[in-house]
Amino acid sequence: MREGSLEPPVRHPLDWQSPDFTDAAKLDVETRRVFDICHGCRRCFNLCDSFPRLFDLIDEAGDAELHGVKSEDFKTVVDACTLCDLCFMTKCPYVPPHEWAVDFPHLMLRHRAMEARTRGVPFALKQLTQTDRNGELARPVAPLANWASAETNRLTRPVLEKIAGVHRDAHLPAFTGKTLVMRAKAEPLPLNREAPAFGTRKAVLYATCSVNYNNPAIGMAARAVLARNGVETEVVHPACCGMPQLEQGDLARVDARAAAVARALGPWIDKGYDVVALVPSCALMLKLEWPLIVPQDAPHRAAVEKLAQATFDVSEYIVDIARRDGLAEGLGPLPGGVALHVACHARAQNMGQKAAEMLRLIPQADLKVIERCSGHGGSWGVLTENFPVALKIGKPVAAQASRSGKRFVASECPIAGPHIMQGIARLNGDGDGPLPENLHPVELFARAYGITV
């Protein structure tokens, strides 16, 4: 047997349509096999709450160890997983191609798929994860929606907590009345014809639900940076990538989203456009998760594979321009420095620290890189039972960012950034002293060019 972690991790396709995938007895056998390996290793004890919960269950069973743990007690371990993938990507020595083939996040996903198939996704959670629908409903009444969802609103947030199970103190993304797609159509940008990359590239920006409905400034900054570098862009948002549904184990809906988005983006690829995803979680879905989920015989399989090969994360794309073509002149320093949180789903793409590489292209770059999970975990982190755990997991990130003394705190993940800021505020006594400014790395890169959006 070869020692683990000597080769790149490999993931196997998810045969979620097979009855065995959600067969309770077979899943229990596989869970006990993996949990026994985890129990003997324990390298992941400090990554998230799943592993301490598992180890506590085993330790409390005494000499019986894992044999003494009831299968129904495994649910607390499953519920604590945020699907950040850090155990698979950075810690576990037994991931494939090791013959033990441990893939803890996908095992947790299998449990959630079984629960979704047998019991269904809880109604309130299902509504919370309808991101495109929620964005469209909130858009015409964005100021009212944002007033009601603000964590400072002590009138509405307790009601939301009771009805939807969203913790009253958890930050929720604000909605915009003018989506990224709308803004891009109304605000065309001239291309810099003097840029080294002019005429060599064109890109279609996959807006993502998060940027389109909640954070259009990220997309506008990306468009402006690419235009400054001579890259023609179009902005589209066919549908959500399905990450919120993946978190709930609803793989059929993820497959349907893959079909819709891949078919919509395929013609752009055929016309020579690169696909640039503006959120790491969405880039991960397009590049890596969809090819593992979409069945080999699906009619949209070829479109998904073509899309996976054509997709870049936004930071990855700008770094690629710098390496292959060279950047346009005009970058200036960012006084005060940046504490950069490298998002878990950026790390899971196996592409290196592209956001850090991008920000180091800025003259006199003053950068503190933080490689730990923020603890948020998408829709997981806002739930009443999870928000305190999410803050606990993210506390080391908040502490590092706070101690760095940088002017800016940046995360590639639009929901991780505000969560980290909540952690910093708590460390600073909730209002004692000024807080750093929270921006996406591409927004900072735009500022270095003197661009405001």
Side-chain angles (χ1 to χ4, degrees):
M1 183 187 301
R2 295 195 64 184
E3 190 65 32
S5 293
L6 296 180
E7 297 176 271
V10 175
R11 280 201 142 142
H12 299 309
L14 293 167
D15 191 14
W16 56 274
Q17 292 181 317
S18 167
D20 290 348
F21 191 78
T22 52
D23 181 272
K26 292 179 179 179
L27 180 54
D28 188 66
V29 170
E30 174 63 6
T31 301
R32 289 182 178 275
R33 182 189 76 85
V34 171
F35 281 6
D36 193 43
I37 294 169
C38 295
H39 164 47
C41 175
R42 302 201 175 201
R43 286 179 64 176
C44 288
F45 73 95
N46 64 343
L47 283 184
C48 71
D49 224 39
S50 282
F51 297 101
R53 292 185 187 190
L54 171 60
F55 302 147
D56 285 347
L57 285 173
I58 296 171
D59 293 342
E60 289 166 7
D63 293 340
E65 295 193 326
L66 186 60
H67 299 291
V69 180
K70 297 177 181 178
S71 296
E72 54 264 32
D73 292 338
F74 292 156
K75 180 172 169 51
T76 184
V77 178
V78 175
D79 288 348
C81 178
T82 64
L83 299 181
C84 73
D85 279 343
L86 287 194
C87 58
F88 184 87
M89 297 303 304
T90 70
K91 285 284 189 179
C92 183
Y94 306 119
V95 299
H98 192 281
E99 64 183 273
W100 287 356
V102 172
D103 188 337
F104 190 93
H106 277 181
L107 177 63
M108 300 298 97
L109 178 61
R110 190 174 164 188
H111 273 273
R112 291 181 183 178
M114 180 184 71
E115 191 163 339
R117 181 174 290 184
T118 57
R119 302 177 189 173
V121 178
F123 177 80
L125 187 56
K126 195 169 186 176
Q127 306 316 306
L128 181 67
T129 56
Q130 297 288 327
T131 49
D132 283 337
R133 183 207 62 187
N134 295 345
E136 282 297 328
L137 289 175
R139 184 175 58 78
V141 291
L144 178 61
N146 295 336
W147 169 81
S149 64
E151 58 265 30
T152 54
N153 191 324
R154 293 301 156 188
L155 176 65
T156 58
R157 284 301 296 266
V159 177
L160 184 62
E161 182 177 85
K162 186 172 183 179
I163 294 174
V166 174
H167 196 288
R168 66 186 65 189
D169 294 329
H171 174 82
L172 295 176
F175 291 100
T176 180
K178 197 172 183 181
T179 67
L180 173 60
V181 171
M182 295 167 66
R183 287 187 63 179
K185 187 176 294 186
E187 303 173 38
L189 291 174
L191 299 184
N192 177 9
R193 293 177 173 269
E194 305 302 319
F198 176 73
T200 67
R201 295 169 181 256
K202 48 188 178 180
V204 58
L205 304 187
Y206 174 50
T208 76
C209 50
S210 175
V211 174
N212 193 46
Y213 295 110
N214 306 112
N215 301 280
I218 295 172
M220 296 300 286
R223 286 179 70 236
V225 167
L226 293 176
R228 178 67 62 89
N229 282 280
V231 180
E232 172 194 338
T233 59
E234 297 287 345
V235 178
V236 300
H237 182 61
C240 171
C241 69
M243 175 60 82
Q245 285 68 45
L246 181 77
E247 294 171 356
Q248 308 310 321
D250 192 348
L251 297 178
R253 294 194 67 194
V254 175
D255 180 42
R257 296 290 175 85
V261 175
R263 285 170 175 158
L265 292 177
W268 292 100
I269 299 171
D270 293 339
K271 290 187 287 187
Y273 283 75
D274 302 314
V275 177
V276 178
L278 297 175
V279 175
S281 298
C282 308
L284 178 68
M285 293 293 285
L286 273 60
K287 288 181 179 181
L288 300 175
E289 293 289 4
W290 284 357
L292 297 175
I293 292 169
V294 174
Q296 290 291 332
D297 60 352
H300 52 286
R301 176 74 198 185
V304 165
E305 290 178 349
K306 181 171 68 174
L307 177 58
Q309 294 301 313
T311 297
F312 293 82
D313 178 270
V314 62
S315 299
E316 177 189 21
Y317 195 61
I318 293 170
V319 169
D320 194 63
I321 292 172
R323 286 181 175 176
R324 295 178 183 270
D325 305 293
L327 292 176
E329 296 180 354
L331 283 170
L334 285 174
V338 181
L340 171 67
H341 167 249
V342 181
C344 299
H345 286 166
R347 297 173 71 181
Q349 291 176 55
N350 253 342
M351 61 181 180
Q353 296 179 348
K354 295 305 178 188
E357 290 182 47
M358 181 182 73
L359 292 179
R360 289 192 179 108
L361 296 170
I362 298 172
Q364 302 172 35
D366 178 11
L367 195 61
K368 164 67 176 176
V369 178
I370 304 171
E371 276 198 311
R372 286 196 67 149
C373 181
S374 73
H376 193 282
S379 58
W380 182 91
V382 303
L383 300 181
T384 305
E385 64 271 23
N386 296 336
F387 181 64
V389 179
L391 285 175
K392 181 183 76 172
I393 295 170
K395 188 174 181 179
V397 177
Q400 288 186 59
S402 182
R403 286 197 302 266
S404 74
K406 306 300 184 188
R407 177 183 171 189
F408 301 102
V409 169
S411 176
E412 298 162 281
C413 176
I415 56 176
H419 181 71
I420 294 167
M421 295 302 295
Q422 284 196 292
I424 294 174
R426 280 162 170 73
L427 289 173
N428 293 354
D430 283 315
D432 294 343
L435 292 174
E437 188 175 357
N438 175 224
L439 291 171
H440 189 279
V442 80
E443 292 180 279
L444 290 174
F445 204 73
R447 282 202 184 185
Y449 267 125
I451 298 168
T452 55
V453 295

